Structure formats: C-alpha cells, structure tokens
Amino acid sequence: MEVIIQPCAAAAADLVARLLAARLRRTPALVLGLATGRTMEAVYARLIALHRDEQLDFSHCTTFNLDEYAGLAGDQPGSYRRYMQEHLFDHININTRRTHLPDGTAPDLAAECAAYEQRIEQSGGIDLQLLGIGASGHIGFNEPLSALMSRTREKALTPLTRAQNAFAFGGDPARTPARALTMGVGTILAAREIILLATGRAKAAIIAKAVEGPITAMISATALQLHPCCKVLVDADAATLLTETDYYRWIFDHEPEWAPFR
Ligand code: F6R
C-alpha cells in the first residue's frame, strides 16, 4: 500500500483523474471499476474535462460499478445508474452497453449477483478499481463484518450508512434504501490495481484505522493492506490522524513511478 497526501481535496481528485487517464492512454480497452458518492464527483468532473480538453478516449473501455441499491430502477432518483449517467457517462464518449452496474430490480437478486461476477470475469477482470470509503469503513457497501473473501451479494446497510447517504433521498435516512447489491471485499481485492480516495476531516479517523490499524472484518477497508498494488490518496484533512505522514511523503517524493505526477 502507498499513501499519497495532497494539499487539498481538489488536488487529490485531480491526481486520481490523472492516474486513471494515464492507465487509459496506455490500455484503451481498460476494465475500470467505478465508485459513486460525493468524493468521486470531483474525479468525474476532472475526467470530463480531460475528455473535452485533451481528447481522453473512453470508447474502448468497459466499466463495472461497485454497487447499486436494491429495489431502485436505474432511472430513479438516488440510483447509482442515474448518478453515473449524470456525473460521467453522459459527458464522455463511452459505449453505454459496456457500462455495468448490478440491477437492483432483478427478480432474483442472488442470481443477478452471480451473473455480475461472471460478467466481470468474462471481461478479463478489473484492471483498475476506484474506491471511496464510508464512515463505517466500508468499501463498496461491505459493511462491518463483511467477509474479507466475500463476492458480489446483497447486503443490509447500517443506520450510519443510511444517514450518510440520506442526502440523495431528501435528507431522510428512513427513505434511503435499506439494502444494496455490492461487489464483495474479495471481488475488490481481485482487481489488478486499486485507488482509494478520501477527502475531508470527517474521513480522518476511518482512514487512520484503514491504513495503520489491524486488519479486521469490522472495517472492510483494512483488507486493502493485503493488496499488492493499492494506492490511498488523501487530502491533508483526511490525513490528520495518520502517524507516519513523513514516511508516506518521502516515498511519494522519491519513487520513480510518481515522477510524472509530482
Ligand atoms: C459508492 C460506494 C461507497 C462510497 C462511500 C463514500 O459506490 O461504494 O463505498 O464510496 O460510502 O461515499 P462519499 O464519497 O459520499 O463519502
């Protein structure tokens, strides 16, 4: 794992977008794992700008989102399909047929989850997975005690997560869906490269636990410590409670891999 600290949220989102763009330019048929949420909005805005200003080409890539609410159709407000269309897909040259999210309205949700895993496998696996982190420590919707080897399945959402996401449902946690389909922790760990982005003071405590704490199913993000190619990008606010920041900064300043991004 590497931790990269940027001065502000905009700089951290910009670096994520530039990393992703570099991967996409190298491998036009990239298989991308995508996340939703407020943190990602700045990344998607940067990607749209790179598409517009520098002709970043998405026409050959395939995407798989982490999760979708159970019971919400893709055109309903609050659904993650709608989020992706509005924040990214409608503004770039991606082939919508190659953009995948679990179908929260499928008649058999278990079968839908198994089929989602199959689709990822048939696409050759995920090259680069983007992640945010929830206040509960979740990645995707892998709430506390999610098995660290879990695959895509239906999960109940914690009251904390429903409160965190209520902004998309009129601010009312009771109107926020109680269940979701999500890639498992094992599905996420199978990606060849992972980039987690966390910004803001509210994420500082969970980032410190995820990066420097012991691996535990109570905080699914701690499983990322097992991944051979995982980058955690944070702004100074989200880095506040990390103890080894001098070391992380030294690595960023000296590793040749980071030279084009410094
Ligand atoms: C969203 C997802 C979640 C979010 C996390 C952070 O697809 O899988 O894990 O990344 O809840 O959300 P924000 O960015 O809104 O704080």
Side-chain angles (χ1 to χ4, degrees):
M1 177 181 278
E2 282 176 278
V3 179
I4 294 95
I5 304 167
Q6 293 290 287
C8 64
D14 182 63
L15 183 50
V16 171
R18 285 191 292 133
L19 269 168
L20 193 155
R23 302 294 185 266
L24 191 56
R25 288 193 178 107
R26 193 179 59 193
T27 312
L30 200 71
V31 180
L32 263 175
L34 297 177
T36 60
R38 282 172 287 191
T39 313
M40 288 301 148
E41 289 176 15
V43 175
Y44 296 148
R46 286 298 301 137
L47 288 176
I48 292 166
L50 286 170
H51 169 67
R52 187 190 56 226
D53 303 336
E54 297 178 22
Q55 293 76 49
L56 183 63
D57 181 14
F58 292 85
S59 63
H60 300 288
C61 86
T62 299
T63 66
F64 287 92
N65 266 78
L66 286 164
D67 39 24
E68 179 59 281
Y69 290 112
L72 275 198
D75 56 357
Q76 278 181 274
S79 80
Y80 283 167
R81 163 58 75 180
R82 185 143 158 188
Y83 170 106
M84 289 310 303
Q85 293 298 142
E86 289 177 359
H87 288 97
L88 184 64
F89 298 155
D90 287 349
H91 311 282
I92 58 174
N93 66 334
I94 199 160
N95 179 344
T96 311
R97 279 183 316 220
R98 280 208 287 269
T99 65
H100 305 274
L101 285 91
D103 178 0
T105 61
D108 180 342
L109 293 179
E112 169 62 13
C113 291
Y116 201 65
E117 286 279 334
Q118 251 178 12
R119 265 183 282 164
I120 294 173
E121 205 178 301
Q122 281 159 6
S123 301
I126 292 173
D127 292 310
L128 173 60
Q129 177 67 56
L130 284 191
L131 296 176
I133 184 170
S136 70
H138 70 211
I139 47 176
F141 274 137
N142 291 287
E143 299 287 38
L145 288 182
S146 286
L148 299 185
M149 294 173 76
S150 51
R151 310 300 296 206
T152 305
R153 69 225 184 284
E154 188 185 354
K155 283 295 285 180
L157 303 180
T158 61
L160 182 60
T161 295
R162 291 175 79 197
Q164 180 198 299
N165 290 359
F167 70 93
F169 299 90
D172 182 1
R175 283 175 50 203
T176 307
R179 303 182 75 80
L181 311 190
T182 179
M183 283 187 200
V185 183
T187 319
I188 293 168
L189 291 180
R192 287 182 265 281
E193 182 176 14
I194 296 177
I195 299 177
L196 183 146
L197 174 64
T199 54
R201 187 65 179 80
K203 295 286 169 74
I206 198 64
I207 278 293
K209 287 182 186 166
V211 171
E212 294 178 344
I215 295 176
T216 168
M218 285 302 290
I219 301 174
S220 61
T222 61
L224 298 173
Q225 295 172 26
L226 297 167
H227 195 277
C229 190
C230 177
K231 298 165 175 62
V232 174
L233 274 88
V234 287
D235 66 352
D237 284 342
T240 322
L241 299 176
L242 290 168
T243 59
E244 302 298 328
T245 51
D246 289 347
Y247 170 61
Y248 308 144
R249 287 197 165 98
W250 188 90
I251 294 280
F252 183 68
D253 290 344
H254 290 85
E255 277 295 320
E257 168 189 11
W258 289 109
F261 300 100
R262 286 198 280 266

